[in-house]
Amino acid sequence: NNVISRRSEQLSGVKVYTTLDINSQRQAEAALKEQVNNISQKRNQPTLEAAMVVSDVKSGEIRAIVGGRETGFSGFNRALNAYRPIGSLVKPAVYLSALEDPEHYNLATMLEDTPVKMRSTGGKYWEPLNADKEFRGKVPLIEALINSYNVPTVKLGMAVGLDEVAYTINRLGVNKDITQVPALTLGAIDLSVLQVNQMYQTIANNGVFSELHSLTAVTSNENKVLYLRDVESEIRVDESATYLINYALHKVTLEGTASAVR
């Protein structure tokens, strides 16, 4: 695999060395097509689409990019160019913002799960609900994250501060101005699959940011180095807080809303 991922291609008299891995690419394409087809049939949505980016947690090297269910199509690449509201994928950033303040928050901290009404844009009001439309009074922070409860997340994000949540998203690797509205806590931010992968790469790497990349070097036909990527890593978020988030996210795959990924 190491040999394959460093393969070179002839291009205009130069050799281009990439991080892409043909085995990872084939497996990613097969997995995406199979799952999207299954979901399309279950939901009767024949035009459903998807995209995928697979990266190395430590190095940030991209192993595979799938731009849509028609993997042979060379046009619009949804993994790189489709920007969509990320929804609950933003929630770890909200909880990470809180856990970086250990004097006030830990996994056992009780969060309020009671009705809330906030003024939104245009003089309207926003009343977020949990997916099951139920309220539980109070829930431990870890339970709210494992089960992806909306209301406790919104209240936590507002308590921590929308500016802190936006700052955390930026630190995780999303390089864009973020509109600070209450709905940000539930994912009212448009990102690409690549940008979301970058967020989670930093989380998975215990708070160490490594910029995603697919190009490592370019040489001439005579092997003269024309370009060599210098990969730098940077600590972006607190390691202890990130450890707690990763523990909780692992629990999400065991007993929470992402248990299907097992």
Side-chain angles (χ1 to χ4, degrees):
N1 284 349
N2 191 46
V3 174
I4 295 173
S5 67
R6 299 300 190 274
R7 71 192 186 282
S8 63
E9 299 176 2
Q10 292 294 127
L11 179 64
S12 301
V14 300
K15 299 176 183 177
V16 178
Y17 295 83
T18 76
T19 66
L20 302 171
D21 176 67
I22 190 64
N23 292 327
S24 296
Q25 183 69 32
R26 288 171 177 165
Q27 292 177 38
E29 290 177 358
L32 184 141
K33 286 192 287 188
E34 178 184 355
Q35 293 302 321
V36 173
N37 287 339
N38 290 341
I39 296 173
S40 293
Q41 292 175 7
K42 290 179 181 178
R43 300 184 182 179
N44 193 26
Q45 294 181 333
T47 60
L48 192 67
E49 270 295 352
M52 183 187 297
V53 173
V54 181
S55 64
D56 182 274
V57 168
K58 294 294 182 183
S59 66
E61 294 180 348
I62 296 174
R63 298 289 180 236
I65 301 176
V66 187
R69 65 194 298 182
E70 298 297 329
T71 55
F73 180 63
S74 60
F76 185 70
N77 190 318
R78 292 172 179 81
L80 307 179
N81 301 315
Y83 295 84
R84 301 288 185 271
I86 67 171
S88 292
L89 290 173
V90 81
K91 287 177 180 176
V94 177
Y95 287 86
L96 183 57
S97 301
L99 292 173
E100 283 192 302
D101 180 10
E103 291 187 10
H104 296 95
Y105 298 101
N106 58 62
L107 293 181
T109 300
M110 300 303 291
L111 304 179
E112 284 194 9
D113 185 15
T114 54
V116 60
K117 186 176 184 179
M118 296 183 217
R119 187 179 295 276
S120 184
T121 55
K124 299 180 180 179
Y125 285 91
W126 182 53
E127 298 182 69
L129 298 172
N130 295 315
D132 60 5
K133 308 296 192 298
E134 299 290 333
F135 295 99
R136 294 159 183 82
K138 287 191 175 183
V139 294
L141 184 147
I142 188 171
E143 182 181 329
L145 179 53
I146 290 174
N147 294 293
S148 194
Y149 293 146
N150 290 334
V151 175
T153 303
V154 171
K155 291 194 173 187
L156 178 64
M158 297 302 292
V160 170
L162 294 176
D163 56 339
E164 284 297 323
V165 174
Y167 180 49
T168 297
I169 296 171
N170 287 147
R171 284 184 293 144
L172 289 173
V174 177
N175 185 22
K176 67 173 291 182
D177 292 331
I178 298 173
T179 303
Q180 297 178 23
V181 294
L184 171 64
T185 59
L186 297 184
I189 174 176
D190 293 346
L191 299 181
S192 67
V193 176
L194 184 71
Q195 288 175 309
V196 174
N197 186 296
Q198 183 71 81
M199 279 183 59
Y200 277 79
Q201 179 275 327
T202 307
I203 293 173
N205 199 22
N206 295 318
V208 179
F209 168 84
S210 296
E211 186 176 10
L212 297 182
H213 61 281
S214 59
L215 180 65
T216 57
V218 179
T219 68
S220 67
N221 276 329
E222 293 74 32
N223 295 321
K224 178 182 178 181
V225 176
L226 304 177
Y227 167 82
L228 183 65
R229 184 178 183 87
D230 183 17
V231 180
E232 295 184 0
S233 297
E234 180 184 353
I235 298 175
R236 290 286 185 88
V237 288
D238 181 76
E239 182 179 4
S240 298
T242 309
Y243 175 85
L244 296 177
I245 287 292
N246 281 320
Y247 171 79
L249 290 178
H250 180 61
K251 299 280 281 186
V252 173
T253 69
L254 297 178
E255 58 192 70
T257 54
S259 58
V261 304
R262 286 185 296 167

